[in-house]
Amino acid sequence: MKFVGLIALCLNRLNPDFRGQNIKLPAIEDNSDQHQGICNALGRLQITFTFAFTMFSRTIRRSILDSKISSTALPPTFLLPIRARQFNSTTQHVETPPGDLDASQFPTKSPSQLAESAAPVPKTLRSRIPPLAPAPIPNSIALDPSVKEMLPLLIAQPSHYISVHIHGKPYLVTGGDSVRLPFQMPGVIPGDVLRLNRASALGSRDYTLKGTPYVDERIFECRATVMGTEAEPMRTKEKKKRRNRRINTVKSKHKYTILRIGEIKINGLDDIES
């Protein structure tokens, strides 16, 4: 009865509860074509079940072996939960000091020092450092002999001009000129008087005094009065990208500060040295 034996073997593979039980299956004659086809199908089914059972047993064996993780592969104790620390932490072994040591030999800290050490250190915020103003020219610098010789000739000629620097930009002006700065000067109101102490050149019709890079501020006095603020007409610009029908309209209206240059005064040698 090959047919009955194959069916019983398959049932034993599928369900171990069928072992030892009497399986009664209808007998089929061995010389029939139906019996031959069923035997072939059951043979293939037995091979399939055997391969699946073998792979399943290997998977179970591998999972059991992988579950045996060594203690070195575990994370450190401070990363584990509190319950895990109780099982993984070890008791500390503290040796008692010998009896001949005095307690005064050990360093001690006062409560205030302990509180300072335990307090968290605040993080310093990176504040924006404002730009520093240029350092003034010291008065102890002695004038060059050539300057002392030509300065009276420069004072004698009228109509002086000066190349002053305002926020790092030079402006060639004379007394009474009106200057429109290309920006709105912060911190000033109409009526304020500003002393311009940075000049790269100072001269007249025949003489010119050049600084390296600036002229000594003791030589001249130049003041400017803030007249007010002007605004340019509204400017409109259309911005468009290629292959895009959307047009973005940008409007701008800048403001400018107006300065009136006063009289340019050149000091004599007596005023400079005093």
Side-chain angles (χ1 to χ4, degrees):
M1 297 287 291
K2 294 181 179 180
F3 180 68
V4 177
L6 290 175
I7 293 178
L9 181 59
C10 293
L11 291 175
N12 290 334
R13 293 290 187 183
L14 291 175
N15 190 355
D17 297 339
F18 288 101
R19 296 179 181 177
Q21 299 181 7
N22 296 326
I23 301 174
K24 295 181 180 181
L25 298 175
I28 301 176
E29 296 180 0
D30 295 341
N31 56 359
S32 63
D33 297 337
Q34 184 179 4
H35 174 264
Q36 188 67 26
I38 291 174
C39 290
N40 296 336
L42 289 176
R44 290 192 297 269
L45 185 63
Q46 180 183 4
I47 295 173
T48 304
F49 282 145
T50 303
F51 178 75
F53 181 77
T54 305
M55 295 300 296
F56 183 69
S57 61
R58 291 179 180 176
T59 304
I60 294 176
R61 188 183 302 108
R62 189 180 297 109
S63 62
I64 293 174
L65 293 176
D66 294 343
S67 61
K68 297 180 180 180
I69 303 174
S70 60
S71 59
T72 58
L74 293 175
T77 309
F78 62 88
L79 294 178
L80 297 176
I82 297 177
R83 294 183 178 179
R85 294 179 189 177
Q86 298 176 359
F87 295 99
N88 291 276
S89 60
T90 57
T91 58
Q92 296 182 358
H93 178 69
V94 181
E95 296 182 357
T96 57
D100 54 350
L101 292 178
D102 189 6
S104 60
Q105 299 179 2
F106 297 96
T108 57
K109 291 185 179 181
S110 61
S112 60
Q113 295 178 354
L114 293 175
E116 293 178 358
S117 61
V121 180
K123 296 182 179 179
T124 57
L125 300 178
R126 294 183 179 179
S127 59
R128 180 181 177 274
I129 301 175
L132 300 177
I137 299 175
N139 297 331
S140 60
I141 298 178
L143 296 178
D144 191 82
S146 61
V147 174
K148 293 181 179 181
E149 180 182 357
M150 303 301 295
L151 188 60
L153 301 176
L154 178 62
I155 297 174
Q157 287 190 343
S159 302
H160 301 107
Y161 68 89
I162 186 171
S163 178
V164 294
H165 287 246
I166 302 175
H167 285 203
K169 295 183 179 180
Y171 300 91
L172 183 62
V173 296
T174 59
D177 288 351
S178 180
V179 179
R180 189 181 76 164
L181 303 179
F183 55 87
Q184 184 178 8
M185 183 178 290
V188 296
I189 58 176
D192 290 349
V193 179
L194 309 177
R195 183 184 177 185
L196 308 178
N197 60 347
R198 288 291 181 270
S200 58
L202 174 64
S204 62
R205 182 180 182 88
D206 297 330
Y207 302 99
T208 301
L209 177 62
K210 293 184 179 181
T212 54
Y214 300 115
V215 180
D216 191 349
E217 62 182 13
R218 297 175 295 172
I219 298 177
F220 68 95
E221 291 183 8
C222 180
R223 288 179 170 84
T225 305
V226 180
M227 304 302 296
T229 303
E230 289 185 359
E232 65 174 358
M234 180 70 71
R235 292 189 295 178
T236 305
K237 184 177 181 180
E238 294 182 352
K239 292 187 177 182
K240 183 182 180 302
K241 295 182 180 181
R242 293 181 297 176
R243 297 181 295 276
N244 191 349
R245 297 183 179 181
R246 183 175 178 273
I247 299 177
N248 186 19
T249 304
V250 180
K251 297 181 180 180
S252 62
K253 188 174 183 179
H254 298 282
K255 295 182 179 181
Y256 308 105
T257 301
I258 306 299
L259 300 180
R260 175 76 66 178
I261 304 298
E263 182 183 359
I264 301 174
K265 179 184 177 181
I266 301 177
N267 299 323
L269 294 177
D270 299 336
D271 298 336
I272 294 174
E273 293 177 353
S274 62

